[in-house]
Structures are given as structure tokens and as C-alpha cells.
Amino acid sequence: MKKLLLFGLFFLFTAFVLVRSSGGGPLIPVFNITQEPDVIVKGSHGTAVTVDLSFGDSEVKAWLEELQAPYPLIFADLAWLERSPELVKLMIDRNIPVGLLGAEGKLYEEEPKLLGEQIAIYEAHFSRKPLYFRTSDEEFPKTLQKQLFEAEVNALGSTMRWDGGKLPKKREGLILSIQHHQEKRTDLKKVSQLLSANEFLTIEDVLFGVETKEKKFP
């Protein structure tokens, strides 16, 4: 990810639109991390956790209420957002970072207007565009990458998917993705155990190599 390392700090200091970072800390900019359309799957420092979320109500509410900063990045499915206004408010109130979880990548080639429609729905809930976008299958066709770049929304994949097994040995810049869907989901209790047993960083810290606490794997 040479482009990430070379241009990340440039965009960090030159962007003008600001949103709050994970855990209600300092402000971070809205920006395109890459210089041209591309998909980010790895950072430069530490490890970040992301959760693809499209299912759950009471158990998700309890989990969100117990989360401690630095928060994982939640990729929320639009149908779940639409039926979960109380949880949307909870995430906003707690400054939990929320990205947009889209459909399968191929659908964006078949339906060119789909991304714009989904971003508009996200904006209706959060009063801003998403900073990060991920397709449900982590496939990003070139046309979709271009659309995201023009919309100033970052395409974020992952380095690996975690389903409750052992973590790999320490690797800098690792982006973990965890699935929580009706048909396939990792128990949120396991996710909480993962977060409490290890020191993870925010996605911004991982992407920009900010010096914070070192992660500890058992």
C-alpha cells in the first residue's frame, strides 16, 4: 500500500470537512485516502476491527452500550439501519464510527445509480456521507471504485475475516472484518472477548500509523 503511506498524511492535513473520530476523540477529516480509485485492505500500524452488521436488535443494543473506545468500525446494512432507529441514535450519541455496508459488488455494475441511492439513505440517518464503504462480498469492480472516489467515500476491504478462531501473529496494519448477519454471524460475546483481550486501534490510527498503545495478542 505505497499510495497509502505516501499520500495519507497529505490528505490528513489538507482536507477541510471534519467528523469525529472513534470514541469521541479529536476531529478527523473527510478525505480520499488514495490518490486514485483503489481499495484499502491494509494499513501501516497496529490492528483495527471492523464489524459487518445486518442483523440483530436487543443483543446488538446491549453490545453497543458496552463497547469501549477505541471502538471498532461498524459497517451497517441499510435495511438494518431503516428498522433500527433507536440503535442509529445510540451509535450517534456514543460517537461509534459507522460505515456503509453495500450489496454484492457486481450489482453496482448492473445498477449504476445504486451507490448514489444508498449514500443518500445513509445521509438521511447520519446527516453526512459515509467515510467508508464496503460491499457485502468485499468485491469492488473498477466502476464502483471510480464512483466511490468521485463521491469522496473510501473503499475499505479487509486483510482477513475473523470468525472466532485464533488471531494471526502480530502483523502491522491488519484490518479484521467480522460478520454479523442472520445467515452467518459471529457471536457478539466472542467479539467482546476479542476486544477486551487485545489492544486494538481505531481505523484511522491503523491507516495513518499514529503512535498509540501497542496491541497485545495472547
Side-chain angles (χ1 to χ4, degrees):
M1 300 302 309
K2 290 184 178 179
K3 284 179 285 188
L4 176 62
L5 297 174
L6 291 174
F7 296 99
L9 289 177
F10 172 78
F11 285 105
L12 180 63
F13 289 107
T14 58
F16 296 96
V17 183
L18 301 176
V19 296
R20 288 200 179 280
S21 66
S22 314
L27 294 176
I28 58 167
V30 173
F31 47 77
N32 279 330
I33 295 175
T34 55
Q35 189 190 27
E36 59 187 35
D38 204 352
V39 182
I40 304 161
V41 296
K42 189 177 184 297
S44 62
H45 177 80
T47 297
V49 174
T50 65
V51 180
D52 294 0
L53 180 58
S54 68
F55 177 78
D57 187 1
S58 58
E59 75 275 20
V60 174
K61 181 176 184 291
W63 180 69
L64 291 173
E65 289 175 336
E66 294 173 356
L67 276 181
Q68 300 295 317
Y71 299 129
L73 170 61
I74 307 296
F75 277 99
D77 171 75
L78 287 177
W80 180 81
L81 287 176
E82 294 278 68
R83 63 178 183 265
S84 307
E86 181 184 359
L87 300 187
V88 171
K89 184 178 185 302
L90 176 60
M91 291 187 292
I92 293 172
D93 290 345
R94 298 205 66 201
N95 289 322
I96 296 172
V98 183
L100 172 56
L101 181 64
E104 293 182 355
K106 65 181 181 181
L107 290 181
Y108 296 92
E109 292 183 305
E110 300 169 0
E111 302 179 38
K113 295 182 180 180
L114 179 59
L115 178 64
E117 294 169 350
Q118 292 180 327
I119 290 176
I121 295 172
Y122 179 99
E123 284 187 282
H125 288 287
F126 294 97
S127 301
R128 63 174 177 83
K129 289 192 296 187
L131 186 55
Y132 301 104
F133 175 89
R134 173 180 288 166
T135 57
S136 60
D137 56 1
E138 296 196 28
E139 295 292 332
F140 295 84
K142 292 295 183 181
T143 51
L144 175 58
Q145 292 181 35
K146 183 178 179 182
Q147 282 185 305
L148 289 166
F149 187 80
E150 292 174 350
E152 296 186 331
V153 177
N154 295 293
L156 187 71
S158 66
T159 318
M160 66 168 287
R161 286 189 170 182
W162 184 81
D163 59 3
K166 286 187 176 181
L167 291 171
K169 292 182 179 179
K170 183 175 178 179
R171 289 168 56 187
E172 295 296 340
L174 198 69
I175 299 173
L176 299 178
S177 69
I178 299 172
Q179 310 299 298
H180 192 75
H181 309 302
Q182 183 172 12
E183 68 284 358
K184 180 180 180 182
R185 60 185 182 272
T186 301
D187 190 331
L188 291 177
K189 291 182 180 179
K190 288 187 177 181
V191 180
S192 294
Q193 291 170 0
L194 173 75
L195 294 172
S196 63
N198 305 278
E199 290 183 359
F200 295 103
L201 307 181
T202 67
I203 190 66
E204 287 79 27
D205 289 348
V206 169
L207 296 179
F208 293 109
V210 178
E211 291 294 332
T212 59
K213 289 183 178 180
E214 288 293 323
K215 166 197 62 175
K216 297 178 182 178
F217 284 154

